[in-house]
Amino acid sequence: MDLRLLEHAAMRLAFLAAFAVGCSAAAAPPSEQVDPAREAAPAGADADDDDDAPGGGGGGACLPLRDCEAAPFSFTPRGWRHTITSNAVTALGSPRHRGRDFFANPGAPQTIIGKFTYGANDKDLVDEEVDVFAQAECDGDWTKLGTAITTKDGAHATVDGVEDDGGRIYFDIPADKRLGPGRHRLRLVVAGDGTFADTFIDVVPEGTKVFVSDVDGTLTSSEEVEAAALLGGFTPETHASAPEALRALAAKGYRPLYLTARPEMLTERTRAFVAERGFPPGLVRTSPFTTGAFQSEKAARFKTAEMDLLAAKGLTPAFGFGNKTSDSNAYAKIPGEQNRIFYKIEGEFSGRRIESYAELLPAFAELAAVCTP
């Protein structure tokens, strides 16, 4: 069998093992729901949270939410800093590079984080150059921002919740090149061989309205379908009316964040699912753990930490979508219980249980815009 096929199969089996752990945790007997028969108030109407209630309007001009198609790009590799060791790493198999999407406030530091590995065992590329390019506002040509060096394990301090496990870059965009308000595409290019990862940054002011959604089971057709999809090489299906519901929020000016406990190696697959199934373009945040954060307690801790990072930037989601208790725990600070929305959830939760995303469409259509088109 071809070496690349063996490598690809090994990678998929590793992910399947991680999913199996998650599915086992998810199969625990559900606890009693919190008031499951409660008739939820319409989304966006919460008399107890007047100042923070979504749909309040008046947020200034909307920043464009573009699909962010990549502009043509060419790059000539300039060779390795460490020819023997880096060639040995790349010989292990295909690149598994990934970048980390993030929100930033205008004028604040912007640190680009990437991970650069090869082969089914995710071998780190260490002490090699990575050039950082930006397609500002998802429009026009690429501009080089600078060059970073991939790390050895533990060489860099934790940034944005990401510990340095080696093979990473933490590139601080120079102050005079920081990206302005809007959505931007970054390309992180390995100088030695020209392979790359793309990532996205959304620069928004404090108080910008966002929504956050889990992916597996919440948007995909089942909690476990990604394991089969990964093995079979296809994109999972989604629930009826789910894309329409989230597009309705994006059309009102809410910025999307897709927050999943999947391992970060599945970032590109997650982006592909979002695009192919018609969800609005947004940021994708995966777990920096190699095997993800599938166990319920670990997933809840990861997502809660992500919500705290958002809050530190003045961004508290106005809506949250999930399907498990771990999602409910993470979304506890989202104002308005009816805006914490859980698809066919079992177990304890604090929010609104829905049977279909179609239930949300009338109320979402009536929401006031949170910015001016």
Side-chain angles (χ1 to χ4, degrees):
M1 180 181 289
D2 183 271
L3 179 61
R4 292 299 175 93
L5 291 177
L6 284 171
E7 169 215 330
H8 197 50
M11 181 193 72
R12 289 182 171 184
L13 287 173
F15 286 143
L16 286 172
F19 268 93
V21 172
C23 294
S24 175
S31 304
E32 184 179 357
Q33 293 181 0
V34 176
D35 196 11
R38 181 182 58 82
E39 188 170 325
D46 186 359
D48 295 330
D49 294 294
D50 291 339
D51 292 338
D52 297 317
C62 294
L63 297 171
L65 189 62
R66 299 188 174 99
D67 287 334
C68 217
E69 294 296 327
F73 182 83
S74 63
F75 184 87
T76 302
R78 56 180 178 269
W80 301 110
R81 288 161 54 92
H82 306 282
T83 304
I84 295 175
T85 54
S86 294
N87 277 336
V89 170
T90 61
L92 294 174
S94 302
R96 309 293 180 200
H97 314 326
R98 54 268 191 186
R100 191 153 188 83
D101 296 357
F102 66 99
F103 284 106
N105 299 133
Q110 298 172 357
T111 302
I112 308 303
I113 301 175
K115 173 83 171 176
F116 299 86
T117 70
Y118 293 80
N121 64 342
D122 211 34
K123 180 66 175 176
D124 295 336
L125 181 69
V126 174
D127 199 35
E128 289 290 351
E129 293 183 336
V130 173
D131 290 347
V132 179
F133 296 84
Q135 186 183 15
E137 299 183 41
C138 299
D139 189 26
D141 296 330
W142 296 95
T143 300
K144 185 176 179 180
L145 302 178
T147 301
I149 303 293
T150 57
T151 63
K152 295 181 181 179
D153 193 351
H156 200 284
T158 297
V159 177
D160 202 31
V162 180
E163 296 181 6
D164 183 8
D165 53 358
R168 292 196 180 272
I169 64 164
Y170 297 84
F171 176 75
D172 295 320
I173 298 179
D176 62 343
K177 296 182 179 179
R178 285 177 187 161
L179 299 165
R183 178 171 162 83
H184 314 278
R185 188 182 194 115
L186 284 297
R187 180 153 291 180
L188 318 179
V189 187
V190 177
D193 63 3
T195 57
F196 63 85
D198 281 2
T199 191
F200 298 86
I201 174 175
D202 207 358
V203 182
V204 297
E206 293 186 17
T208 296
K209 299 295 187 181
V210 303
F211 70 81
V212 59
S213 180
D214 172 55
V215 176
D216 290 303
T218 301
L219 301 182
T220 63
S221 56
S222 74
E223 184 72 30
E224 301 83 15
V225 69
E226 173 61 12
L230 182 64
L231 187 62
F234 62 88
T235 301
E237 296 296 328
T238 187
H239 302 301
S241 299
E244 290 83 353
L246 269 57
R247 286 204 305 269
L249 287 181
K252 300 292 185 178
Y254 295 90
R255 311 294 283 188
L257 171 63
Y258 300 96
L259 179 61
T260 170
R262 292 177 175 187
E264 64 179 1
M265 281 186 286
L266 293 180
T267 298
E268 286 300 328
R269 279 191 57 84
T270 307
R271 288 197 186 115
F273 166 77
V274 167
E276 292 176 24
R277 295 297 171 243
F279 290 98
L283 301 186
V284 172
R285 296 277 287 188
T286 53
S287 167
F289 304 106
T290 302
T291 57
F294 291 111
Q295 299 96 330
S296 293
E297 290 186 6
K298 194 173 184 180
R301 288 197 301 272
F302 160 67
K303 291 183 177 181
T304 299
E306 289 289 310
M307 298 292 283
D308 289 341
L309 289 172
L310 284 177
K313 298 173 183 178
L315 304 173
T316 298
F319 291 91
F321 299 87
N323 74 317
K324 296 176 70 175
T325 295
S326 57
D327 300 317
S328 176
N329 293 340
Y331 297 166
K333 294 182 180 179
I334 293 178
E337 187 173 275
Q338 76 285 345
N339 297 322
R340 303 191 291 270
I341 300 166
F342 304 105
Y343 181 79
K344 296 185 177 180
I345 190 172
E346 295 181 350
E348 294 184 356
F349 71 97
S350 175
R352 175 184 180 183
R353 186 181 195 270
I354 62 169
E355 302 299 316
S356 168
Y357 282 89
E359 299 173 33
L360 305 173
L361 297 179
F364 283 3
E366 294 299 318
L367 288 173
V370 295
C371 57
T372 305

